[in-house]
Amino acid sequence: MKISDIKDPFVEARQQKGYAQVSDQDDPVTMMLRLKDVRKCAHNAKTFSSEDIPGRIVVPSEVNIRTTRQIPFEVDPPKHKGFRGLLDPWFKRPLEDDYKQKLHSIVDKLVTENLAGNSVEVIKEFSLVLQSRALTLLLNTPFEDSKLWISWGTHVFRSEGDALDGDKAQVLYDYLDEKLDEALANPSDDLFSVLLGAEVDGKKMSKEEAKGVLILTFAGGRDTVINAVSNTIAYLADHPESLQRLRDEPEIRGRAIEEFIRYFSPLTHMGRVVKEDTQVCEHAAKADTRISLCWASANRDETVFENPNEIVLDRKLNPHVGFGFSHHNCLGATHARQILSTLIDVFCEKVSTIDLLDAQDNIEHWDDFDRKVGYENLTVKFNKA
Amino acid sequence: MAKITFITQDNESITLEADSGSVMALAVENGVKGIDGDCGGVCSCATCHVHVNPSQVAQAGEASEIEADMLELSDNANEFSRLCCQIEITQDLDGLELTVAN
Ligand code: FES
């Protein structure tokens, strides 16, 4: 077993029953584990709703630390569509040449800075820095803003002990209130101003709604991107032949990124609230209980993926759900894909091999299941090409 | 060379020519509206959904099981649906007409 391997803790439960029950504060969750079931439930927004008390569909539940509804993901169709229609063009900007170039120079600079021959602790000194700097492009804000975001650490809602932390979340909320007030007084071309100036379904977006979009942007794209980047680096350190192959065969880089997303599944699962009594995998799901769509388990479903526990760099058919599925698929997916693709391009150009010096896994605990999602710390040395 | 025609939701008709690669890649390279190809063609995003002209279904070929499973839950899917990243361009496709589903 290599250090970068990520085991699949759900395999037995998935094969035997297709679901598992886990406790979450006082509101337990039935996890859906098979790819087809996960997709079907994700698609059936009528029975499995995303629109409940703000924070309830997230697992672990965030009802105790926020009252602002995250938009668009805590809004059901058809209302969801108006918000998504407004946000999609903005969140697809990473496909524009100008954006790509700016992202390239951010990544290039960061990699070059860390090529000096010293070791680098990837989580805090590389991935968090990269995520925060790249976020300035997504929000269209000054590069300097990233310094403050870096100082918040790897999770905006969690303190070091991993527990959800209301005081910490408040730091983000206060910041967003301040930025939104600034944008109201002096509109510019950043996302804060764009949201406040936008109309959805003929109605002007409120400050609370704009804040909901921004909380999602800050929280949803943070540890997920950090995990995706860090896991990729650990994998490439463990597999120098793969880095060489990506260098030699640039045409497979796109497939490799999808495969990393499948294998790493940076977000383990996302919940839904059951609206009417129903069944999942022949198990009763009562109205007002929660299920979760376990992307991590679905992405290892052996009935769909050949060799699910291996990274097959050029996997051709890869119907993964690493960015979710159906209406609520990941709004930041284009940005995340562009970050990974730029990172791989720069590594192929500038880095010969990566030495893995030290790693401590970040393990999530869900009752009977322990799932590695990334690293608490990961120390490597990038060697110059 | 195979000539392939795309009809977008705005009723714009675009005819493109190629002799290899996937139909999705051809559409994306030429900016056919409604075909995004987000996943790059690995059958994971369904943003390359088209309807094959009913008289040409045999020409385009059948969806694999994995593709059919994706289509089953896609908006606007019908019996003529395909994910065009899964259609490889060959001379046999010459004259194919596809309507963009989204
Ligand atoms: S391009 Fe993603 S499924 Fe065809």
Side-chain angles (χ1 to χ4, degrees), chain A residues 153-183:
Chain A
T154 52
H155 204 295
V156 288
F157 290 154
R158 280 173 216 208
S159 48
E160 288 311 320
D162 252 9
L164 288 169
D165 180 338
D167 290 343
K168 191 147 187 217
Q170 198 57 47
V171 174
L172 172 67
Y173 305 154
D174 290 346
Y175 171 78
L176 294 178
D177 280 333
E178 195 183 305
K179 294 297 278 188
L180 285 165
D181 287 338
E182 255 173 58

PDB file of all heavy atoms in Angstrom, chain A residues 153-183:
ATOM      1  N   GLY A 153      -7.218  29.842   7.607  1.00  0.00           N
ATOM      2  CA  GLY A 153      -6.960  28.395   7.673  1.00  0.00           C
ATOM      3  C   GLY A 153      -7.767  27.617   6.657  1.00  0.00           C
ATOM      4  O   GLY A 153      -8.475  28.195   5.833  1.00  0.00           O
ATOM      5  N   THR A 154      -7.675  26.285   6.750  1.00  0.00           N
ATOM      6  CA  THR A 154      -8.208  25.449   5.673  1.00  0.00           C
ATOM      7  C   THR A 154      -9.725  25.298   5.688  1.00  0.00           C
ATOM      8  O   THR A 154     -10.303  24.826   4.732  1.00  0.00           O
ATOM      9  CB  THR A 154      -7.599  24.038   5.713  1.00  0.00           C
ATOM     10  OG1 THR A 154      -7.760  23.538   7.027  1.00  0.00           O
ATOM     11  CG2 THR A 154      -6.150  24.051   5.321  1.00  0.00           C
ATOM     12  N   HIS A 155     -10.382  25.620   6.783  1.00  0.00           N
ATOM     13  CA  HIS A 155     -11.838  25.474   6.794  1.00  0.00           C
ATOM     14  C   HIS A 155     -12.474  26.710   7.407  1.00  0.00           C
ATOM     15  O   HIS A 155     -12.057  27.144   8.461  1.00  0.00           O
ATOM     16  CB  HIS A 155     -12.241  24.222   7.585  1.00  0.00           C
ATOM     17  CG  HIS A 155     -13.583  23.699   7.180  1.00  0.00           C
ATOM     18  ND1 HIS A 155     -14.744  24.409   7.388  1.00  0.00           N
ATOM     19  CD2 HIS A 155     -13.954  22.557   6.558  1.00  0.00           C
ATOM     20  CE1 HIS A 155     -15.763  23.715   6.907  1.00  0.00           C
ATOM     21  NE2 HIS A 155     -15.328  22.582   6.398  1.00  0.00           N
ATOM     22  N   VAL A 156     -13.491  27.251   6.729  1.00  0.00           N
ATOM     23  CA  VAL A 156     -14.092  28.474   7.272  1.00  0.00           C
ATOM     24  C   VAL A 156     -15.084  28.199   8.393  1.00  0.00           C
ATOM     25  O   VAL A 156     -15.456  29.117   9.120  1.00  0.00           O
ATOM     26  CB  VAL A 156     -14.762  29.326   6.170  1.00  0.00           C
ATOM     27  CG1 VAL A 156     -13.719  29.970   5.289  1.00  0.00           C
ATOM     28  CG2 VAL A 156     -15.757  28.538   5.350  1.00  0.00           C
ATOM     29  N   PHE A 157     -15.530  26.954   8.526  1.00  0.00           N
ATOM     30  CA  PHE A 157     -16.499  26.647   9.584  1.00  0.00           C
ATOM     31  C   PHE A 157     -15.915  25.789  10.705  1.00  0.00           C
ATOM     32  O   PHE A 157     -16.584  25.481  11.654  1.00  0.00           O
ATOM     33  CB  PHE A 157     -17.700  25.864   9.019  1.00  0.00           C
ATOM     34  CG  PHE A 157     -18.592  26.672   8.132  1.00  0.00           C
ATOM     35  CD1 PHE A 157     -19.358  26.041   7.159  1.00  0.00           C
ATOM     36  CD2 PHE A 157     -18.696  28.037   8.266  1.00  0.00           C
ATOM     37  CE1 PHE A 157     -20.204  26.765   6.332  1.00  0.00           C
ATOM     38  CE2 PHE A 157     -19.538  28.782   7.448  1.00  0.00           C
ATOM     39  CZ  PHE A 157     -20.293  28.143   6.478  1.00  0.00           C
ATOM     40  N   ARG A 158     -14.675  25.342  10.524  1.00  0.00           N
ATOM     41  CA  ARG A 158     -14.129  24.400  11.496  1.00  0.00           C
ATOM     42  C   ARG A 158     -12.865  24.937  12.127  1.00  0.00           C
ATOM     43  O   ARG A 158     -12.031  25.509  11.448  1.00  0.00           O
ATOM     44  CB  ARG A 158     -13.798  23.065  10.833  1.00  0.00           C
ATOM     45  CG  ARG A 158     -15.020  22.232  10.665  1.00  0.00           C
ATOM     46  CD  ARG A 158     -14.706  21.017   9.878  1.00  0.00           C
ATOM     47  NE  ARG A 158     -15.869  20.729   9.053  1.00  0.00           N
ATOM     48  CZ  ARG A 158     -16.199  19.529   8.644  1.00  0.00           C
ATOM     49  NH1 ARG A 158     -15.469  18.510   8.964  1.00  0.00           N
ATOM     50  NH2 ARG A 158     -17.268  19.361   7.909  1.00  0.00           N
ATOM     51  N   SER A 159     -12.729  24.681  13.429  1.00  0.00           N
ATOM     52  CA  SER A 159     -11.483  25.036  14.091  1.00  0.00           C
ATOM     53  C   SER A 159     -10.572  23.827  13.999  1.00  0.00           C
ATOM     54  O   SER A 159     -10.930  22.801  13.448  1.00  0.00           O
ATOM     55  CB  SER A 159     -11.762  25.433  15.531  1.00  0.00           C
ATOM     56  OG  SER A 159     -12.597  24.464  16.107  1.00  0.00           O
ATOM     57  N   GLU A 160      -9.409  23.917  14.609  1.00  0.00           N
ATOM     58  CA  GLU A 160      -8.399  22.869  14.434  1.00  0.00           C
ATOM     59  C   GLU A 160      -8.913  21.484  14.820  1.00  0.00           C
ATOM     60  O   GLU A 160      -8.624  20.501  14.184  1.00  0.00           O
ATOM     61  CB  GLU A 160      -7.116  23.203  15.201  1.00  0.00           C
ATOM     62  CG  GLU A 160      -6.316  24.342  14.569  1.00  0.00           C
ATOM     63  CD  GLU A 160      -6.081  24.177  13.060  1.00  0.00           C
ATOM     64  OE1 GLU A 160      -5.812  23.052  12.623  1.00  0.00           O
ATOM     65  OE2 GLU A 160      -6.195  25.183  12.328  1.00  0.00           O
ATOM     66  N   GLY A 161      -9.705  21.409  15.884  1.00  0.00           N
ATOM     67  CA  GLY A 161     -10.198  20.109  16.349  1.00  0.00           C
ATOM     68  C   GLY A 161     -11.224  19.487  15.419  1.00  0.00           C
ATOM     69  O   GLY A 161     -11.776  18.449  15.724  1.00  0.00           O
ATOM     70  N   ASP A 162     -11.557  20.170  14.302  1.00  0.00           N
ATOM     71  CA  ASP A 162     -12.481  19.631  13.311  1.00  0.00           C
ATOM     72  C   ASP A 162     -13.953  19.855  13.634  1.00  0.00           C
ATOM     73  O   ASP A 162     -14.819  19.562  12.814  1.00  0.00           O
ATOM     74  CB  ASP A 162     -12.269  18.124  13.095  1.00  0.00           C
ATOM     75  CG  ASP A 162     -11.633  17.889  11.730  1.00  0.00           C
ATOM     76  OD1 ASP A 162     -11.234  18.884  11.120  1.00  0.00           O
ATOM     77  OD2 ASP A 162     -11.574  16.733  11.307  1.00  0.00           O
ATOM     78  N   ALA A 163     -14.242  20.328  14.855  1.00  0.00           N
ATOM     79  CA  ALA A 163     -15.643  20.534  15.206  1.00  0.00           C
ATOM     80  C   ALA A 163     -16.157  21.778  14.486  1.00  0.00           C
ATOM     81  O   ALA A 163     -15.406  22.718  14.237  1.00  0.00           O
ATOM     82  CB  ALA A 163     -15.770  20.712  16.703  1.00  0.00           C
ATOM     83  N   LEU A 164     -17.436  21.791  14.170  1.00  0.00           N
ATOM     84  CA  LEU A 164     -18.028  22.992  13.595  1.00  0.00           C
ATOM     85  C   LEU A 164     -17.943  24.087  14.636  1.00  0.00           C
ATOM     86  O   LEU A 164     -18.202  23.872  15.806  1.00  0.00           O
ATOM     87  CB  LEU A 164     -19.484  22.713  13.224  1.00  0.00           C
ATOM     88  CG  LEU A 164     -19.643  21.807  12.012  1.00  0.00           C
ATOM     89  CD1 LEU A 164     -21.085  21.354  11.883  1.00  0.00           C
ATOM     90  CD2 LEU A 164     -19.193  22.512  10.752  1.00  0.00           C
ATOM     91  N   ASP A 165     -17.588  25.268  14.204  1.00  0.00           N
ATOM     92  CA  ASP A 165     -17.259  26.322  15.136  1.00  0.00           C
ATOM     93  C   ASP A 165     -17.996  27.605  14.741  1.00  0.00           C
ATOM     94  O   ASP A 165     -17.683  28.229  13.735  1.00  0.00           O
ATOM     95  CB  ASP A 165     -15.723  26.508  15.083  1.00  0.00           C
ATOM     96  CG  ASP A 165     -15.233  27.586  16.027  1.00  0.00           C
ATOM     97  OD1 ASP A 165     -16.036  28.458  16.406  1.00  0.00           O
ATOM     98  OD2 ASP A 165     -14.045  27.549  16.380  1.00  0.00           O
ATOM     99  N   GLY A 166     -18.999  27.952  15.546  1.00  0.00           N
ATOM    100  CA  GLY A 166     -19.830  29.119  15.255  1.00  0.00           C
ATOM    101  C   GLY A 166     -19.051  30.425  15.229  1.00  0.00           C
ATOM    102  O   GLY A 166     -19.279  31.286  14.390  1.00  0.00           O
ATOM    103  N   ASP A 167     -18.094  30.566  16.154  1.00  0.00           N
ATOM    104  CA  ASP A 167     -17.324  31.813  16.214  1.00  0.00           C
ATOM    105  C   ASP A 167     -16.511  31.982  14.944  1.00  0.00           C
ATOM    106  O   ASP A 167     -16.366  33.075  14.416  1.00  0.00           O
ATOM    107  CB  ASP A 167     -16.341  31.788  17.398  1.00  0.00           C
ATOM    108  CG  ASP A 167     -17.084  31.865  18.708  1.00  0.00           C
ATOM    109  OD1 ASP A 167     -18.277  32.255  18.668  1.00  0.00           O
ATOM    110  OD2 ASP A 167     -16.500  31.521  19.751  1.00  0.00           O
ATOM    111  N   LYS A 168     -15.978  30.857  14.471  1.00  0.00           N
ATOM    112  CA  LYS A 168     -15.160  30.913  13.267  1.00  0.00           C
ATOM    113  C   LYS A 168     -16.024  31.285  12.062  1.00  0.00           C
ATOM    114  O   LYS A 168     -15.652  32.101  11.226  1.00  0.00           O
ATOM    115  CB  LYS A 168     -14.495  29.558  13.053  1.00  0.00           C
ATOM    116  CG  LYS A 168     -13.463  29.655  11.988  1.00  0.00           C
ATOM    117  CD  LYS A 168     -12.298  28.753  12.197  1.00  0.00           C
ATOM    118  CE  LYS A 168     -11.287  29.093  11.136  1.00  0.00           C
ATOM    119  NZ  LYS A 168     -10.597  27.947  10.637  1.00  0.00           N
ATOM    120  N   ALA A 169     -17.211  30.661  11.978  1.00  0.00           N
ATOM    121  CA  ALA A 169     -18.116  30.973  10.875  1.00  0.00           C
ATOM    122  C   ALA A 169     -18.471  32.455  10.893  1.00  0.00           C
ATOM    123  O   ALA A 169     -18.574  33.103   9.853  1.00  0.00           O
ATOM    124  CB  ALA A 169     -19.371  30.112  10.986  1.00  0.00           C
ATOM    125  N   GLN A 170     -18.600  33.015  12.123  1.00  0.00           N
ATOM    126  CA  GLN A 170     -18.968  34.428  12.252  1.00  0.00           C
ATOM    127  C   GLN A 170     -17.930  35.349  11.604  1.00  0.00           C
ATOM    128  O   GLN A 170     -18.284  36.403  11.074  1.00  0.00           O
ATOM    129  CB  GLN A 170     -19.138  34.768  13.752  1.00  0.00           C
ATOM    130  CG  GLN A 170     -19.920  36.047  14.009  1.00  0.00           C
ATOM    131  CD  GLN A 170     -21.306  36.042  13.384  1.00  0.00           C
ATOM    132  OE1 GLN A 170     -22.046  35.068  13.507  1.00  0.00           O
ATOM    133  NE2 GLN A 170     -21.673  37.118  12.688  1.00  0.00           N
ATOM    134  N   VAL A 171     -16.677  34.940  11.633  1.00  0.00           N
ATOM    135  CA  VAL A 171     -15.613  35.749  11.003  1.00  0.00           C
ATOM    136  C   VAL A 171     -15.925  35.913   9.515  1.00  0.00           C
ATOM    137  O   VAL A 171     -15.833  37.008   8.957  1.00  0.00           O
ATOM    138  CB  VAL A 171     -14.231  35.071  11.185  1.00  0.00           C
ATOM    139  CG1 VAL A 171     -13.148  35.821  10.415  1.00  0.00           C
ATOM    140  CG2 VAL A 171     -13.885  34.973  12.664  1.00  0.00           C
ATOM    141  N   LEU A 172     -16.341  34.819   8.878  1.00  0.00           N
ATOM    142  CA  LEU A 172     -16.691  34.877   7.457  1.00  0.00           C
ATOM    143  C   LEU A 172     -17.940  35.741   7.243  1.00  0.00           C
ATOM    144  O   LEU A 172     -17.975  36.590   6.351  1.00  0.00           O
ATOM    145  CB  LEU A 172     -16.927  33.462   6.906  1.00  0.00           C
ATOM    146  CG  LEU A 172     -17.481  33.386   5.485  1.00  0.00           C
ATOM    147  CD1 LEU A 172     -16.464  33.903   4.462  1.00  0.00           C
ATOM    148  CD2 LEU A 172     -17.885  31.956   5.114  1.00  0.00           C
ATOM    149  N   TYR A 173     -18.952  35.537   8.088  1.00  0.00           N
ATOM    150  CA  TYR A 173     -20.200  36.297   7.895  1.00  0.00           C
ATOM    151  C   TYR A 173     -19.951  37.800   8.047  1.00  0.00           C
ATOM    152  O   TYR A 173     -20.462  38.609   7.274  1.00  0.00           O
ATOM    153  CB  TYR A 173     -21.286  35.849   8.880  1.00  0.00           C
ATOM    154  CG  TYR A 173     -21.581  34.374   8.842  1.00  0.00           C
ATOM    155  CD1 TYR A 173     -22.093  33.710   9.947  1.00  0.00           C
ATOM    156  CD2 TYR A 173     -21.342  33.628   7.687  1.00  0.00           C
ATOM    157  CE1 TYR A 173     -22.354  32.346   9.914  1.00  0.00           C
ATOM    158  CE2 TYR A 173     -21.592  32.266   7.649  1.00  0.00           C
ATOM    159  CZ  TYR A 173     -22.097  31.637   8.765  1.00  0.00           C
ATOM    160  OH  TYR A 173     -22.343  30.297   8.738  1.00  0.00           O
ATOM    161  N   ASP A 174     -19.166  38.175   9.070  1.00  0.00           N
ATOM    162  CA  ASP A 174     -18.880  39.603   9.280  1.00  0.00           C
ATOM    163  C   ASP A 174     -18.141  40.179   8.075  1.00  0.00           C
ATOM    164  O   ASP A 174     -18.420  41.285   7.620  1.00  0.00           O
ATOM    165  CB  ASP A 174     -18.029  39.803  10.546  1.00  0.00           C
ATOM    166  CG  ASP A 174     -18.829  39.502  11.809  1.00  0.00           C
ATOM    167  OD1 ASP A 174     -20.074  39.410  11.710  1.00  0.00           O
ATOM    168  OD2 ASP A 174     -18.215  39.337  12.890  1.00  0.00           O
ATOM    169  N   TYR A 175     -17.181  39.394   7.588  1.00  0.00           N
ATOM    170  CA  TYR A 175     -16.411  39.832   6.416  1.00  0.00           C
ATOM    171  C   TYR A 175     -17.332  40.055   5.222  1.00  0.00           C
ATOM    172  O   TYR A 175     -17.255  41.083   4.541  1.00  0.00           O
ATOM    173  CB  TYR A 175     -15.346  38.772   6.104  1.00  0.00           C
ATOM    174  CG  TYR A 175     -14.628  39.001   4.792  1.00  0.00           C
ATOM    175  CD1 TYR A 175     -13.630  39.947   4.683  1.00  0.00           C
ATOM    176  CD2 TYR A 175     -14.967  38.244   3.660  1.00  0.00           C
ATOM    177  CE1 TYR A 175     -12.964  40.144   3.470  1.00  0.00           C
ATOM    178  CE2 TYR A 175     -14.311  38.438   2.459  1.00  0.00           C
ATOM    179  CZ  TYR A 175     -13.311  39.398   2.369  1.00  0.00           C
ATOM    180  OH  TYR A 175     -12.676  39.594   1.176  1.00  0.00           O
ATOM    181  N   LEU A 176     -18.243  39.096   4.993  1.00  0.00           N
ATOM    182  CA  LEU A 176     -19.141  39.218   3.834  1.00  0.00           C
ATOM    183  C   LEU A 176     -20.081  40.407   3.988  1.00  0.00           C
ATOM    184  O   LEU A 176     -20.333  41.136   3.028  1.00  0.00           O
ATOM    185  CB  LEU A 176     -19.932  37.914   3.634  1.00  0.00           C
ATOM    186  CG  LEU A 176     -19.096  36.689   3.233  1.00  0.00           C
ATOM    187  CD1 LEU A 176     -19.973  35.452   3.110  1.00  0.00           C
ATOM    188  CD2 LEU A 176     -18.343  36.930   1.919  1.00  0.00           C
ATOM    189  N   ASP A 177     -20.581  40.626   5.215  1.00  0.00           N
ATOM    190  CA  ASP A 177     -21.453  41.789   5.444  1.00  0.00           C
ATOM    191  C   ASP A 177     -20.726  43.080   5.084  1.00  0.00           C
ATOM    192  O   ASP A 177     -21.258  43.950   4.408  1.00  0.00           O
ATOM    193  CB  ASP A 177     -21.886  41.847   6.922  1.00  0.00           C
ATOM    194  CG  ASP A 177     -23.038  40.885   7.197  1.00  0.00           C
ATOM    195  OD1 ASP A 177     -23.811  40.589   6.257  1.00  0.00           O
ATOM    196  OD2 ASP A 177     -23.149  40.410   8.346  1.00  0.00           O
ATOM    197  N   GLU A 178     -19.487  43.145   5.546  1.00  0.00           N
ATOM    198  CA  GLU A 178     -18.687  44.342   5.298  1.00  0.00           C
ATOM    199  C   GLU A 178     -18.451  44.545   3.791  1.00  0.00           C
ATOM    200  O   GLU A 178     -18.642  45.642   3.258  1.00  0.00           O
ATOM    201  CB  GLU A 178     -17.346  44.151   6.017  1.00  0.00           C
ATOM    202  CG  GLU A 178     -16.524  45.386   6.193  1.00  0.00           C
ATOM    203  CD  GLU A 178     -15.196  45.010   6.860  1.00  0.00           C
ATOM    204  OE1 GLU A 178     -15.221  44.381   7.947  1.00  0.00           O
ATOM    205  OE2 GLU A 178     -14.151  45.321   6.275  1.00  0.00           O
ATOM    206  N   LYS A 179     -18.074  43.460   3.106  1.00  0.00           N
ATOM    207  CA  LYS A 179     -17.810  43.563   1.661  1.00  0.00           C
ATOM    208  C   LYS A 179     -19.081  43.922   0.886  1.00  0.00           C
ATOM    209  O   LYS A 179     -19.034  44.686  -0.083  1.00  0.00           O
ATOM    210  CB  LYS A 179     -17.251  42.240   1.119  1.00  0.00           C
ATOM    211  CG  LYS A 179     -15.897  41.870   1.629  1.00  0.00           C
ATOM    212  CD  LYS A 179     -14.822  42.845   1.226  1.00  0.00           C
ATOM    213  CE  LYS A 179     -14.316  42.598  -0.176  1.00  0.00           C
ATOM    214  NZ  LYS A 179     -13.135  43.430  -0.490  1.00  0.00           N
ATOM    215  N   LEU A 180     -20.204  43.366   1.307  1.00  0.00           N
ATOM    216  CA  LEU A 180     -21.458  43.667   0.610  1.00  0.00           C
ATOM    217  C   LEU A 180     -21.868  45.120   0.833  1.00  0.00           C
ATOM    218  O   LEU A 180     -22.341  45.790  -0.091  1.00  0.00           O
ATOM    219  CB  LEU A 180     -22.559  42.699   1.055  1.00  0.00           C
ATOM    220  CG  LEU A 180     -22.425  41.278   0.466  1.00  0.00           C
ATOM    221  CD1 LEU A 180     -23.295  40.275   1.217  1.00  0.00           C
ATOM    222  CD2 LEU A 180     -22.777  41.263  -1.025  1.00  0.00           C
ATOM    223  N   ASP A 181     -21.661  45.619   2.061  1.00  0.00           N
ATOM    224  CA  ASP A 181     -21.965  47.033   2.316  1.00  0.00           C
ATOM    225  C   ASP A 181     -21.076  47.936   1.465  1.00  0.00           C
ATOM    226  O   ASP A 181     -21.536  48.929   0.902  1.00  0.00           O
ATOM    227  CB  ASP A 181     -21.793  47.365   3.812  1.00  0.00           C
ATOM    228  CG  ASP A 181     -22.920  46.762   4.642  1.00  0.00           C
ATOM    229  OD1 ASP A 181     -23.996  46.478   4.057  1.00  0.00           O
ATOM    230  OD2 ASP A 181     -22.716  46.539   5.854  1.00  0.00           O
ATOM    231  N   GLU A 182     -19.821  47.570   1.387  1.00  0.00           N
ATOM    232  CA  GLU A 182     -18.888  48.327   0.549  1.00  0.00           C
ATOM    233  C   GLU A 182     -19.357  48.346  -0.910  1.00  0.00           C
ATOM    234  O   GLU A 182     -19.336  49.374  -1.574  1.00  0.00           O
ATOM    235  CB  GLU A 182     -17.525  47.621   0.558  1.00  0.00           C
ATOM    236  CG  GLU A 182     -16.461  48.287   1.399  1.00  0.00           C
ATOM    237  CD  GLU A 182     -15.225  47.385   1.455  1.00  0.00           C
ATOM    238  OE1 GLU A 182     -14.656  47.041   0.388  1.00  0.00           O
ATOM    239  OE2 GLU A 182     -14.879  47.000   2.573  1.00  0.00           O
ATOM    240  N   ALA A 183     -19.789  47.174  -1.376  1.00  0.00           N
ATOM    241  CA  ALA A 183     -20.229  47.060  -2.772  1.00  0.00           C
ATOM    242  C   ALA A 183     -21.517  47.850  -3.010  1.00  0.00           C
ATOM    243  O   ALA A 183     -21.723  48.417  -4.083  1.00  0.00           O
ATOM    244  CB  ALA A 183     -20.421  45.601  -3.150  1.00  0.00           C
TER     245      ALA A 183
END
